Amino acid sequence: MTGPSSLIQDVAHLGSVELLTPRFTDSQWYFRDVLGMEVVHAAGSSVYLRGYGDYAASTVKLTEAKAPGVGCISWRAVSPEALERRAAAIGETGLGLGWSEGDFGRGKSYRFRDPDGHLMEIYYEETKYRAPEHLKSALKNLPMKYTGRGVGVRRIDHLALLARDVAANRRFMQERLGFRLREQVIFDQGKAEIGSWLSASPVHHQVAYVKDVKGGHGRLHHFAMWVDNREDVLRAASLLSEQGVFIEAGPSMHNNSQGFYLYTYEPGGNRVEVYSGSYLVFAPDWEPVTWNEKERGTGVYWGGALPQSFLEYATPDISIGDAASTEKVPVFDPA
């Protein structure tokens, strides 16, 4: 594609995601024992985890909170100079919040909000993971051995955010951070941008913005963890079911992204996707793929249709008009 974003190569990848949970202990159980992540640090009301294939010291932060949702979304810059450039570009929009000394495993970061209010930061300095002896892999190019615990997710992959104005947020990510547009869903004869999938790397998408049908702001639709193949997603479905974890949808295959997936809720209420497949984009002149109402359908290439909750539920949950919702969504049954 052409335009400003095609000239910006300052963001390397999604660095980490902070999830807020009102069921702190149960959420730790889910990510540690069910998904198989490793706890590497704890501080205050937060714990830090990683997948066995993540190269950073930590990629997921769980923080105790009154309601579920997404905390800070962290993007890694390609260099210290790139960090300074992006901070300046974001600051021009009035959405910048200023510099932070950094979180666990990271150096200074520049914090900001996207147009919808999601808290983000960009940083460069990062502590590489050094496995203790009992977790060292025989493969020198694997940061930690595969433990075989639970689902055994390899790494973080992407997240989907809800927005009142998808186009405004998509433009912000393109023009200020250099993200490339991969696919879109546009309804009403090209007038209504319902969803956009973007990435700063060859990975199909690292962030997606989807229309918030309840008119909220700053909400999380889902956070995705990567496994190596479809069989791992099928295995995850059996493991999750045995643990009493509610599976909302899948295993199935999306039409856009070609991703193979299942969606579940962690105990705090956040939707988590176990994800594989999809495709990589290497073409520098990639032309974004656009789907209309008829072509998009239910968003499923094959498998069961996505339920109504997939369209309506996000965290924090709200009712129409931003009032607190009394609707309860099943999360998990430890019995």
Side-chain angles (χ1 to χ4, degrees):
M1 63 175 295
T2 59
S5 66
S6 64
L7 304 177
I8 302 170
Q9 304 286 329
D10 284 349
V11 177
H13 58 79
L14 176 63
S16 70
V17 174
E18 179 184 20
L19 294 178
L20 309 179
T21 171
R23 301 177 66 170
F24 190 52
T25 300
D26 291 334
S27 292
Q28 290 180 65
W29 163 81
Y30 173 92
F31 283 93
R32 181 189 62 239
D33 298 338
V34 179
L35 292 189
M37 301 189 78
E38 198 71 21
V39 176
V40 294
H41 184 68
S45 58
S46 298
V47 295
Y48 300 77
L49 305 97
R50 62 184 311 281
Y52 75 93
D54 284 318
Y55 285 87
S58 172
T59 53
V60 174
K61 178 181 179 181
L62 295 179
T63 298
E64 189 170 14
K66 292 183 178 179
V70 64
C72 189
I73 302 161
S74 303
W75 305 101
R76 191 179 186 196
V78 300
S79 68
E81 295 77 14
L83 171 59
E84 296 291 341
R85 286 193 296 267
R86 290 308 98 213
I90 293 165
E92 293 172 353
T93 68
L95 294 170
L97 300 175
W99 291 96
S100 164
E101 288 305 310
D103 205 342
F104 168 73
R106 293 200 298 274
K108 72 172 186 177
S109 64
Y110 185 78
R111 290 203 163 191
F112 60 96
R113 293 191 184 276
D114 67 10
D116 203 73
H118 298 96
L119 178 62
M120 297 185 177
E121 67 180 2
I122 184 168
Y123 69 98
Y124 172 69
E125 294 178 358
E126 181 174 84
T127 302
K128 293 181 174 63
Y129 180 69
R130 302 298 185 210
E133 285 298 323
H134 71 286
L135 290 176
K136 284 186 177 179
S137 173
L139 289 169
K140 294 185 70 174
N141 53 10
L142 187 63
M144 189 186 97
K145 71 180 181 182
Y146 174 70
T147 64
R149 186 174 65 243
V151 174
V153 294
R154 179 181 284 266
R155 59 173 173 80
I156 62 171
D157 190 79
H158 68 267
L159 71 165
L161 306 174
L162 297 191
R164 291 182 178 179
D165 187 339
V166 172
N169 287 274
R170 185 253 305 156
R171 287 193 297 267
F172 175 80
M173 297 301 284
Q174 288 179 290
E175 296 169 3
R176 300 296 165 172
L177 288 168
F179 278 57
R180 273 80 75 191
L181 178 63
R182 304 304 194 203
E183 300 194 41
Q184 289 185 294
V185 175
I186 300 181
F187 289 176
D188 193 20
Q189 297 181 333
K191 300 176 183 177
E193 189 171 336
I194 302 300
S196 287
W197 287 254
L198 306 107
S199 183
S201 78
V203 170
H204 175 270
H205 68 286
Q206 294 178 308
V207 65
Y209 281 101
V210 181
K211 181 71 175 179
D212 193 328
V213 298
K214 291 185 176 180
H217 61 88
R219 301 206 294 153
L220 172 70
H221 185 270
H222 70 264
F223 170 55
M225 304 294 301
W226 176 268
V227 291
D228 283 338
N229 54 58
R230 294 182 179 188
E231 187 62 35
D232 287 335
V233 180
L234 296 174
R235 176 176 172 272
S238 295
L239 291 169
L240 291 163
S241 295
E242 289 291 345
Q243 293 293 338
V245 177
F246 173 69
I247 297 175
E248 179 187 36
S252 298
M253 183 177 177
H254 284 303
N255 46 21
N256 72 301
S257 86
Q258 303 175 30
F260 194 74
Y261 66 88
L262 70 79
Y263 291 98
T264 175
Y265 295 111
E266 58 89 13
N270 296 298
R271 181 184 285 107
V272 177
E273 181 181 22
V274 178
Y275 185 79
S276 192
S278 191
Y279 61 94
L280 301 175
V281 179
F282 295 103
D285 57 349
W286 175 260
E287 296 181 5
V289 177
T290 300
W291 304 75
N292 62 28
E293 295 95 323
K294 182 178 179 180
E295 295 164 337
R296 167 70 170 171
T298 63
V300 177
Y301 179 53
W302 58 259
L306 293 167
Q308 192 65 25
S309 61
F310 189 80
L311 304 177
E312 296 181 352
Y313 179 75
T315 49
D317 193 19
I318 60 172
S319 60
I320 299 296
D322 289 345
S325 175
T326 58
E327 178 184 1
K328 299 298 180 183
V329 175
V331 177
F332 86 127
D333 180 3

